[in-house]
């Protein structure tokens, strides 16, 4: 018997876009919202956190989605979005993070967002924690290094599931959970500077997050039997820099660092290579019998961001050459990079999709992909727009590779581009690193009208969705 795979995207494929609360909402202290770690990160990852919030932090206003969500969702609907990925700001719901009673005004805001999505028939995809841990949990508990955060996170999840459970099917527990290895403050709310944070404390924090994720998955299934819960990881294939077997082994070790998060989420236990890492580095984690049982609550699907691949080598003299990618590694001499130095590798997406599918046999969801670029607003046919052919090319080339993966037999649920509307960058806190199909008139110095202007890619993406990807070439 021969099996044929579809040469196009499956019916019901979830096309859409993604954003995070702290990068678009603004209203950072409105209606009872508490501070989050983002309020002391005016420069993203470029400088150390500040003591208190500062007015030069573009995230205080974001793109004012808090007040303009209806207008923005209408634009997403015009593109034909089937799904919209957004995060809930934890500190809007629990301003400090450790209260017993949630903030009703915060909950009501997301009711309004969900109303609007429903009006347009757009499926919500909710990230529960996206780089916006309440600042109080970071400062008072040293973030996820404390076991107490498991309980606070669980209370937050229960509040969301009970409130929105009837309206939200797809949930993601932690954005890019593996990034805590690289950005302990932004990802894990851990104020201890990275170079002073011991491996012991870092992996204990990771363990707490993994247990919290698994407990949230169990709770979601109890409260909302129809719910689908996914983990979310940064996918970055690691290629050996040369065919030297030592480089292949170096690439394998580097890949393990991220695989571990998917392995635990999908298999419910720690993989051997990570236990070896613990043994050889004197790391002894506090793992209770209850933790082990909790971890067995595995996810329903795996979601990931994909921006780039990287190379690895065993030769230390080659390590520091050139500008590395987001998570370090060695630049690939065969690839071009974006204006921010992120190397562009559409085929890497096909590699990741095949690799994850073979490894975990769980449906996959591409929940971030896109290119940050300097856009120029121009006048065309009497309206202002951006002629962003580079963005169209980037997304087209990645989607062609996703389509190849579907033809390879990979189960892909959907695709949401990162920053479907311009927003404040996570790593650099700039407005000028733009990802959207919709230009937002706001500049790095905070000036601008906040007006929205569809870019050339807006119409293009509408056609991609309308043809279910058949027009991609
Ligand atoms: C991911 C984050 C997002 C987003 C994106 C683009 O790592 O999940 O929050 O910002 O990267 O990164 P940047 O904004 O730094 O260009």
């Amino acid at each position: 018997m021969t099996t044929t795979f579809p040469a196009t995207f499956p019916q019901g494929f979830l096309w859409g876009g993604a954003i995070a609360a702290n990068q678009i909402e603004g209203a950072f202290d409105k209606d009872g919202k508490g501070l989050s770690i983002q309020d002391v990160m005016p420069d993203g990852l470029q400088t150390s956190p500040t003591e208190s919030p500062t007015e030069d932090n573009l995230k205080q206003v974001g793109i004012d989605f808090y007040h303009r969500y209806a207008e923005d969702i209408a634009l997403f609907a015009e593109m034909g979005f089937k799904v919209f990925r957004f995060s809930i700001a934890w500190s809007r719901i629990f301003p400090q993070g450790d209260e017993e009673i949630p903030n009703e005004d915060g909950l009501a805001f997301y009711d309004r967002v969900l109303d609007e999505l429903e009006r347009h028939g757009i499926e919500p995809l909710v990230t529960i924690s996206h780089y916006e841990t309440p600042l109080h949990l970071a400062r008072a508990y040293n973030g996820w290094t404390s076991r107490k955060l498991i309980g606070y996170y669980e209370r937050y999840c229960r509040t969301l599931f009970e409130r929105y459970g009837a309206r939200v099917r797809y949930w993601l527990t932690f954005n890019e959970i593996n990034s805590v290895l690289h950005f302990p403050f932004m990802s894990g709310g851990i104020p201890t500077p990275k170079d002073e944070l011991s491996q012991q404390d870092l992996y204990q924090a990771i363990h707490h997050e993994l247990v919290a994720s698994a407990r949230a998955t169990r709770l979601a299934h109890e409260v909302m039997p129809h719910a689908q819960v996914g983990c979310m990881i940064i996918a970055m294939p690691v290629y050996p820099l040369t065919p030297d077997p030592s480089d292949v082994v170096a690439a394998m070790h580097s890949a393990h660092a991220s695989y571990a998060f998917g392995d635990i989420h999908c298999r419910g236990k720690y993989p051997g290579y990570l236990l070896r890492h613990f043994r050889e580095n004197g790391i002894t984690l506090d793992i209770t019998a209850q933790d082990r049982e909790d971890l067995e609550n595995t996810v329903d699907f795996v979601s990931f961001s994909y921006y780039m691949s990287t190379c690895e080598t065993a030769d230390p003299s080659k390590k520091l050459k050139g500008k590395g990618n987001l998570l370090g590694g060695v630049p690939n001499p065969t690839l071009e990079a974006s204006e921010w130095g992120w190397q562009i590798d559409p085929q890497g997406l096909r590699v990741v999709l095949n690799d994850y599918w073979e490894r975990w046999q769980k449906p996959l969801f591409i929940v971030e992909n896109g290119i940050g670029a300097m856009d120029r607003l121009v006048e065309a046919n009497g309206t202002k727009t951006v002629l962003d052919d580079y963005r169209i090319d980037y997304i087209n080339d990645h989607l062609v590779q996703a389509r190849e993966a579907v033809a390879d037999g990979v189960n892909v649920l959907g695709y949401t581009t990162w920053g479907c509307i311009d927003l404040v960058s996570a790593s650099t806190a700039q407005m000028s690193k733009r990802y959207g199909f919709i230009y937002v008139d706001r500049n790095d110095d905070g000036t601008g009208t906040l007006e929205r202007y569809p870019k050339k890619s807006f119409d293009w993406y509408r056609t991609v969705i309308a043809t279910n990807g058949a027009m991609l070439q």
Side-chain angles (χ1 to χ4, degrees):
M1 197 182 86
T2 52
T3 309
T4 52
F5 290 109
T8 184
F9 292 91
Q11 281 310 312
F13 189 77
L14 290 168
W15 297 97
I19 55 88
N22 72 87
Q23 293 172 262
I24 67 163
E25 285 179 2
F28 80 107
D29 61 354
K30 294 277 168 359
D31 300 332
K33 181 180 173 299
L35 296 177
S36 91
I37 52 165
Q38 290 293 341
D39 293 312
V40 294
M41 298 181 74
D43 302 315
L45 296 169
Q46 313 303 306
T47 59
S48 307
T50 52
E51 248 329 288
S52 356
T54 52
E55 275 177 17
D56 61 343
N57 188 340
L58 290 179
K59 287 165 273 192
Q60 290 196 345
V61 173
I63 59 161
D64 195 29
F65 181 80
Y66 192 74
H67 299 107
R68 298 170 191 243
Y69 61 93
E71 176 195 338
D72 292 340
I73 291 170
L75 287 168
F76 302 151
E78 214 179 303
M79 277 185 276
F81 277 23
K82 312 284 182 221
V83 66
F84 176 53
R85 173 181 175 228
F86 64 100
S87 73
I88 291 183
W90 188 346
S91 59
R92 251 187 226 296
I93 310 302
F94 287 98
Q96 302 277 306
D98 55 3
E99 304 91 334
E100 309 241 328
I101 309 290
N103 170 32
E104 175 54 34
D105 287 349
L107 287 165
F109 170 63
Y110 297 103
D111 280 335
R112 296 197 290 277
V113 170
L114 289 171
D115 287 346
E116 217 53 45
L117 291 173
E118 243 162 59
R119 201 190 314 284
H120 293 286
I122 299 175
E123 176 106 44
L125 166 60
V126 172
T127 317
I128 298 170
S129 177
H130 190 131
Y131 293 162
E132 49 216 354
T133 307
L135 186 60
H136 172 72
L137 293 186
R139 296 237 166 114
Y141 299 88
N142 208 18
W144 280 96
T145 62
S146 165
R147 183 173 277 277
K148 289 216 167 99
L149 264 74
I150 300 175
Y152 301 141
Y153 178 82
E154 200 175 356
R155 184 183 297 155
Y156 166 52
C157 287
R158 180 179 287 281
T159 306
L160 302 187
F161 297 162
E162 287 176 351
R163 178 81 167 219
Y164 310 123
R167 317 172 78 184
V168 179
R169 181 173 151 85
Y170 294 101
W171 298 87
L172 306 179
T173 51
F174 290 97
N175 181 61
E176 296 188 332
I177 187 165
N178 51 328
S179 64
V180 67
L181 291 170
H182 308 274
F183 328 121
F185 185 61
M186 186 162 83
S187 182
I190 305 169
T192 307
K194 192 180 167 194
D195 49 5
E196 292 167 26
L197 183 64
S198 67
Q199 287 273 306
Q200 170 74 36
D201 288 350
L202 176 59
Y203 275 100
Q204 189 64 52
I206 290 171
H207 175 70
H208 295 150
E209 284 199 65
L210 290 165
V211 170
S213 181
R215 289 177 74 97
T217 304
R218 181 180 51 209
L219 186 64
H221 291 149
E222 273 167 26
V223 179
M224 314 169 287
H226 62 287
Q228 294 286 298
V229 184
C231 57
M232 196 305 203
I233 48 189
I234 301 182
M236 200 165 75
V238 188
Y239 307 142
L241 187 62
T242 73
D244 181 333
S246 301
D247 280 1
V248 178
V249 171
M252 178 188 81
H253 283 312
S254 167
H256 275 164
S258 285
Y259 277 147
F261 293 82
D263 286 351
I264 296 165
H265 272 104
C266 294
R267 298 175 180 157
K269 55 180 197 287
Y270 277 79
Y273 56 83
L274 187 55
L275 296 174
R276 175 180 182 172
H277 178 76
F278 293 164
R279 271 196 313 275
E280 293 181 352
N281 291 279
I283 299 168
T284 320
L285 296 189
D286 169 28
I287 302 180
T288 66
Q290 182 64 51
D291 290 350
R292 287 186 207 284
E293 204 185 306
D294 289 341
L295 287 177
E296 285 169 16
N297 292 279
T298 54
V299 288
D300 302 305
F301 68 97
V302 172
S303 78
F304 62 88
S305 60
Y306 176 77
Y307 293 94
M308 68 196 91
S309 57
T310 191
C311 291
E312 201 43 86
T313 174
D315 178 353
S317 69
K318 299 205 178 115
K319 286 222 170 185
L320 295 173
K321 282 193 188 146
K323 225 176 150 189
N325 270 323
L326 178 66
L327 305 183
V330 184
N332 186 326
T334 71
L335 297 176
E336 301 289 323
S338 77
E339 289 162 285
W340 273 265
W342 292 14
Q343 289 197 302
I344 301 169
D345 177 14
Q347 291 181 94
L349 179 57
R350 181 180 179 186
V351 171
V352 160
L353 285 163
N354 273 275
D355 186 32
Y356 284 7
W357 175 243
E358 284 156 16
R359 193 174 181 97
W360 297 315
Q361 293 282 298
K362 300 261 187 194
L364 302 175
F365 209 136
I366 307 159
V367 296
E368 283 188 34
N369 174 239
I371 184 165
M374 288 276 192
D375 287 344
R376 210 161 48 87
L377 201 58
V378 295
E379 199 84 23
N381 307 324
T383 47
K384 285 184 181 165
T385 188
V386 175
L387 303 174
D388 55 345
D389 293 278
Y390 39 90
R391 181 165 295 108
I392 293 173
D393 290 347
Y394 180 99
I395 298 175
N396 177 81
D397 295 352
H398 284 77
L399 281 172
V400 164
Q401 294 302 321
R403 193 171 62 188
E404 287 297 312
V406 170
D408 293 332
V410 179
N411 182 353
V412 190
L413 295 172
Y415 174 87
T416 56
T417 58
W418 176 251
C420 46
I421 182 165
D422 290 349
L423 39 63
V424 183
S425 152
S427 60
T428 67
Q430 294 167 297
M431 262 314 293
S432 54
K433 191 179 186 191
R434 295 174 184 275
Y435 284 87
F437 299 120
I438 301 160
Y439 184 92
V440 177
D441 181 15
R442 188 155 198 245
N443 307 307
D444 287 343
D445 61 5
T447 58
T449 61
L450 290 167
E451 280 302 299
R452 275 63 167 151
Y453 301 100
K455 303 178 192 176
K456 185 175 176 186
S457 55
F458 182 99
D459 283 331
W460 173 82
Y461 196 48
R462 177 169 50 196
T463 315
V464 171
I465 297 175
T467 62
N468 201 30
M471 58 83 80
L472 297 162
Q473 42 189 321

